[in-house]
Amino acid sequence: MTDARAVSLAQAGAAHGNKAANLAWLIEHGFDVPDGVVVAAAGEAGLSDWLKPGRRYAVRSSASVEDSPTFSFAGQFLTLLDMEGPDRVREAVEAVLESASADDLKPYLQHAGISDDDIRMHVIVQEMIDSKVSGVAFSRNPLTGLADVLIESVPGTGE
């Protein structure tokens, strides 16, 4: 177990990865964001205390290289949904952390000109919501690089 503590998503900053920092910005500006915490290790102090019995959680990456102006890293790191119970959540946190060193990530890193050593991974654990539609919005078209807003969506949770 690490000496670090789980940090409320509302208190996350750049040190907790771009996704967590962006979600904290949304919370600060009044947007409705599911409650969550950010951790850097599966055994991080405070994580088990924050989890509520019978609730489901989304366990998501928040890497230093994600959601940047140049590369989104959409879909490059693992996301695990509907995790229930402290043991499953901790296992999911470990799996998301390990996804930062997955072999299938290497071509994307090479294309982005990013070294494995540049990745600092944190993990967001959020209360799961039942979604009717899920997706991703790009402020630039990922195929052309043009400033076209592109939204991809699917019914349900997006798995």
Side-chain angles (χ1 to χ4, degrees):
M1 183 184 297
T2 175
D3 290 337
R5 294 204 51 84
V7 174
S8 163
L9 193 52
Q11 298 172 331
H16 302 104
N18 293 331
K19 190 181 296 177
N22 289 337
L23 289 171
W25 185 93
L26 289 171
I27 293 167
E28 180 182 338
H29 289 86
F31 289 87
D32 192 15
V33 175
D35 194 22
V37 294
V38 185
V39 298
E44 198 149 300
L47 174 60
S48 292
D49 295 338
W50 180 80
L51 298 172
K52 298 174 184 104
R55 294 267 174 93
R56 298 171 298 130
Y57 296 93
V59 182
R60 312 168 59 204
S61 63
S62 183
S64 56
V65 295
E66 280 182 291
D67 297 346
S68 77
T70 313
F71 291 94
S72 72
F73 276 78
Q76 297 301 310
F77 300 114
L78 187 61
T79 294
L80 294 166
L81 304 177
D82 288 316
M83 298 292 106
E84 189 174 343
D87 290 340
R88 286 202 64 208
V89 170
R90 279 192 295 273
E91 289 169 7
V93 168
E94 272 307 315
V96 171
L97 289 167
E98 289 172 8
S99 73
S101 58
D103 286 338
D104 57 351
L105 176 64
K106 298 201 185 312
Y108 192 92
L109 289 172
Q110 185 177 8
H111 176 70
I114 297 172
S115 163
D116 294 13
D117 297 334
D118 294 334
I119 300 174
R120 291 179 315 283
M121 178 68 84
H122 280 75
V123 179
I124 299 168
V125 179
Q126 283 181 284
E127 290 186 4
M128 189 75 194
I129 60 169
D130 293 320
S131 57
K132 293 180 181 174
V133 177
S134 300
V136 62
F138 295 93
S139 57
R140 290 201 171 275
N141 185 319
L143 300 176
T144 65
L146 298 175
D148 301 325
V149 174
L150 179 65
I151 299 172
E152 294 181 351
S153 63
V154 296
T157 60
E159 275 193 299

